[in-house]
């Protein structure tokens, strides 16, 4: 059986309560559902999540399916040195393109909407244009950025940051994945190489605007009972690597007094981190989601622990203030436990405010679709915040069931997804009219 089996539960759950009256203007809920279902089986985990690390065969396979659909839709498909995929539809005028898209990689055991919905929504817009015989004024491109989640190395957005020329080779020298593969080995295994990866596309390509549709990954739209919302800004994540270095030893013969147990130090920091964000602002957050114990033996006192702290806020100054407090706390703990600590700023991404003008334009379109405009800051990071360093950017959210994301239970109803596509399509068509 191919990837898509008719009794596909994912597809059946999407289509079963779909309001097919939303199939207007050339959009098709069934087509979107089928494609979401196909991608949901690539890298599928035993509990129905997906595992598609950046630059993995699974991410590549998901891209290849979408590239096939892009070719069938008559788009000119290209891939850059970072594995970013672009599907281009020429416009009536030869000017800078409007681009819309997202990513297809995932977090470990992630959901099937985070990323794919933005890519397939942009493709659904092109399918509708084809059905209606509409040719856009400006060229339109669908983008799939590689490795947005950063599940494989010590920072994310490795596709969009490469595209914008923001990655420096020296940053990559100590990038090693959990299988011990270096970044160079991974990008070569993927089919590119370091030179092509660093030869960034943005220097050759002006962009009129980038628009990303994404799931909300929060509960505001549920609380407001609206299917689609407007993103007002994107919190900037900073990933701080903390390495505690103590002394490995025999778990049985080493007295408790005098141990230099790195995992105890790490645990003290993780506990401390829980109470720090509220000291700087009520939107700051900090998380330790990845921790590596060395040598990781049940009967060995941990000699070394590496952990990554994900620190965010929608305001850069309070995000950086929190980062400083965490570094201070790590130093105090290391002194108290008489072990060493070194810290590395793996990535520090600027928060991105979205221009009020774009938010208002989206609000007008939402009202046209009888949707009450809801304005939401994004705690999650997105490729948009990288493109937004040099390109006008707008983002819209589709409601997430119970706000769940980065989890197999991540879900958005097909009716909400298609309403998001209607808004995306109208917004892109409006931007097609604006002067270069
Ligand atoms: O981590 C994030 O916020 C995004 O999902 N990459
Ligand atoms: Mn995402
Ligand atoms: Mn994500």
């Amino acid at each position: 059986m191919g990837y898509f089996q008719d009794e596909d539960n994912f597809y059946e759950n999407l289509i079963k309560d779909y309001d097919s009256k939303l199939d207007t203007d050339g959009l098709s809920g069934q087509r979107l559902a089928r494609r979401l279902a196909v991608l949901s089986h690539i890298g599928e985990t035993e509990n129905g999540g997906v595992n598609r690390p950046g630059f993995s065969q699974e991410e590549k396979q998901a891209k290849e399916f979408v590239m096939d659909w892009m070719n069938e839709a008559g788009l000119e498909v290209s891939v850059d040195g970072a594995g970013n995929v672009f599907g281009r539809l020429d416009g009536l005028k030869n000017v800078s393109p409007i681009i819309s898209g997202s990513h297809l990689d995932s977090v470990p055991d992630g959901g099937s909407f985070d990323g794919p919905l933005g890519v397939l929504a942009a493709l659904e817009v092109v399918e509708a244009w084809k059905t209606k015989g509409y040719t856009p004024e400006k060229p339109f491109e669908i983008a799939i950025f590689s490795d947005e989640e950063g599940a494989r190395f010590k920072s994310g957005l490795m596709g969009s940051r490469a595209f914008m020329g923001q990655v420096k080779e020296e940053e990559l020298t100590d990038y090693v994945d959990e299988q011990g593969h270096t970044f160079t080995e991974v990008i070569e295994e993927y089919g590119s190489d370091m030179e092509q990866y660093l030869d960034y596309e943005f220097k050759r390509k002006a962009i009129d605007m980038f628009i990303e549709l994404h799931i909300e990954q929060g509960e505001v739209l549920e609380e407001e009972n609206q299917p689609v919302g407007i993103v007002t800004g994107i919190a900037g994540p900073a990933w701080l690597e903390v390495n505690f270095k103590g002394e490995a030893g025999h778990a049985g013969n080493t007295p408790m007094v005098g141990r230099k147990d790195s995992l105890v130090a790490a645990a003290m920091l993780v506990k401390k981190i829980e109470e720090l964000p509220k000291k700087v602002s009520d939107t700051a957050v900090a998380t330790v989601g990845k921790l590596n114990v060395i040598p990781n033996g049940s009967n060995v006192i941990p000699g070394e622990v590496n952990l990554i702290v994900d620190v965010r806020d929608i305001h850069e100054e309070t995000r950086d203030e929190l980062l400083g407090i965490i570094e201070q706390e790590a130093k105090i703990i290391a002194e108290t436990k008489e072990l060493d600590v070194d810290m590395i700023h793996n990535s520090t991404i600027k928060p991105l405010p979205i221009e009020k003008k774009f938010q208002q334009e989206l609000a007008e379109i939402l009202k046209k679709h009888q949707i009450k405009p809801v304005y939401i800051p994004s705690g999650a990071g997105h490729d948009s915040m990288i493109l937004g360093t040099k390109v006008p950017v707008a983002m819209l959210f589709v409601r997430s069931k119970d706000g769940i994301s980065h989890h197999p239970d991540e879900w958005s109803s097909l009716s909400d997804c298609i309403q998001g596509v209607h808004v995306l399509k109208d917004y892109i068509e409006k931007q097609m009219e604006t002067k270069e």
Side-chain angles (χ1 to χ4, degrees):
M1 288 265 217
Y3 264 100
F4 187 77
Q5 297 96 359
D6 279 327
E7 74 286 358
D8 180 297
N9 288 336
F10 188 93
Y11 172 77
E12 294 307 334
N13 287 334
L14 270 176
I15 204 79
K16 71 176 192 294
D17 53 11
Y18 176 55
D19 174 5
S20 57
K21 288 198 294 304
L22 291 166
D23 279 353
T24 58
D25 284 344
L27 296 183
S28 162
Q30 190 190 54
R31 178 173 49 214
L32 179 60
R34 280 188 180 280
R35 290 174 168 173
L36 282 167
V38 167
L39 298 184
S40 75
H41 296 303
I42 300 175
E44 188 168 9
T45 61
E46 70 276 357
N47 48 357
V50 288
N51 211 14
R52 292 198 290 261
F55 306 111
S56 65
Q57 289 314 305
E58 292 78 8
E59 183 197 44
K60 193 173 203 175
Q61 209 168 13
K63 287 173 179 174
E64 283 163 356
F65 269 99
V66 178
M67 287 161 76
D68 285 349
W69 296 327
M70 286 175 168
N71 279 311
E72 286 161 21
L75 298 181
E76 180 197 334
V77 180
S78 60
V79 183
D80 73 8
N84 300 314
V85 176
F86 298 91
R88 180 183 174 89
L89 176 68
D90 281 337
L92 297 172
K93 291 186 284 189
N94 185 20
V95 293
S96 308
I98 290 175
I99 301 185
S100 182
S102 193
H103 61 95
L104 296 179
D105 66 299
S106 78
V107 295
D109 210 18
S112 288
F113 294 80
D114 174 358
L117 184 58
V119 171
L120 294 177
L123 183 55
E124 192 53 33
V125 170
V126 170
E127 298 284 7
W129 286 347
K130 256 181 61 185
T131 306
K132 306 303 272 182
Y134 168 90
T135 304
E137 281 289 300
K138 304 170 185 173
F140 177 67
E141 294 188 14
I142 300 168
I144 309 171
F145 289 111
S146 302
D147 190 20
E148 188 273 343
E149 297 289 4
R152 189 154 189 181
F153 293 103
K154 14 174 74 171
S155 77
L157 305 153
M158 299 306 289
S160 50
R161 286 172 60 225
F163 174 76
M164 298 298 287
Q166 294 179 4
V167 181
K168 301 289 170 269
E169 186 162 8
E170 49 273 22
E171 168 189 336
L172 304 171
T173 45
D174 65 345
Y175 274 36
V176 180
D177 70 8
E178 277 161 11
Q179 287 69 41
H181 301 131
T182 65
F183 189 87
T184 305
E185 288 165 341
V186 165
I187 199 77
E188 286 174 355
E189 155 77 18
Y190 187 80
S192 179
D193 63 31
M194 192 60 98
E195 189 189 344
Q196 294 177 75
Y197 175 79
L198 294 168
D199 177 25
Y200 67 97
E201 199 63 23
F202 185 62
K203 65 183 164 210
R204 291 183 280 274
K205 174 184 226 158
I207 298 174
D208 182 89
M209 182 172 199
F210 179 72
I211 306 154
E212 183 171 7
L213 178 149
H214 201 282
I215 52 170
E216 180 197 344
Q217 302 172 302
E219 297 181 283
V220 173
L221 287 172
E222 270 196 335
E223 284 153 16
E224 297 283 343
N225 193 23
Q226 298 300 325
V228 183
I230 300 163
V231 178
T232 58
I234 308 171
W239 283 7
L240 173 70
E241 181 182 337
V242 182
N243 302 311
F244 285 109
K245 293 179 180 156
E247 266 169 34
H250 195 297
N253 270 354
T254 313
M256 291 310 286
V257 174
R259 286 185 176 196
K260 295 184 188 299
D261 185 329
S262 300
L263 188 51
V264 169
M268 288 167 70
L269 181 63
V270 171
K271 184 68 190 94
K272 191 76 188 164
I273 282 171
E274 195 182 19
E275 61 196 56
L276 294 177
K278 59 178 175 293
K279 292 183 187 301
V280 299
S281 86
D282 56 13
T283 48
V285 289
T287 315
V288 176
K290 198 169 190 173
L291 183 142
N292 181 29
V293 182
I294 300 164
N296 204 30
S298 308
N299 54 359
V300 182
I301 300 167
E304 180 175 345
V305 168
N306 317 126
L307 58 88
I308 290 187
V309 196
D310 176 313
V311 183
R312 307 189 190 206
D313 201 350
I314 49 177
H315 312 292
E316 190 172 13
E317 54 288 346
T318 44
R319 193 271 312 272
D320 292 348
E321 185 190 346
L322 177 54
L323 211 46
I325 295 171
I326 291 170
E327 287 184 88
Q328 205 45 38
E329 285 298 338
K331 285 181 189 144
I332 293 167
I333 291 167
E335 263 159 51
T336 314
K337 302 303 289 177
E338 294 177 10
L339 36 79
D340 295 327
V341 65
D342 70 57
M343 291 177 267
I344 307 164
H345 288 255
N346 286 343
S347 75
T348 307
I349 309 287
K350 272 176 108 46
L352 180 85
I354 304 280
E355 284 184 48
K356 286 272 188 285
K357 172 171 153 292
F358 300 146
Q359 295 182 43
Q360 287 319 313
E361 288 168 345
L362 270 171
E364 291 316 307
I365 290 169
L366 286 171
K367 285 177 205 160
K368 195 188 103 182
H369 289 276
Q370 290 77 49
I371 299 170
K372 185 186 88 173
V374 176
Y375 298 88
I376 311 168
S378 175
H382 302 286
D383 290 309
S384 288
M385 66 193 168
I386 301 302
L387 278 283
T389 53
K390 294 253 176 51
V391 171
V393 155
M395 262 200 94
L396 56 154
F397 275 162
V398 167
R399 177 166 38 189
S400 289
K401 187 171 176 314
D402 303 329
I404 295 170
S405 183
H406 284 192
H407 187 282
D409 292 347
E410 182 181 282
W411 189 261
S412 291
S413 77
L414 186 56
S415 298
D416 286 357
C417 293
I418 282 287
Q419 289 181 85
V421 182
H422 273 294
V423 173
L424 176 70
K425 175 173 174 292
D426 287 1
Y427 189 73
I428 293 169
E429 288 173 6
K430 176 175 179 48
Q431 298 311 322
M432 287 294 174
E433 294 151 20
T434 55
K435 290 291 154 275
E436 255 279 282

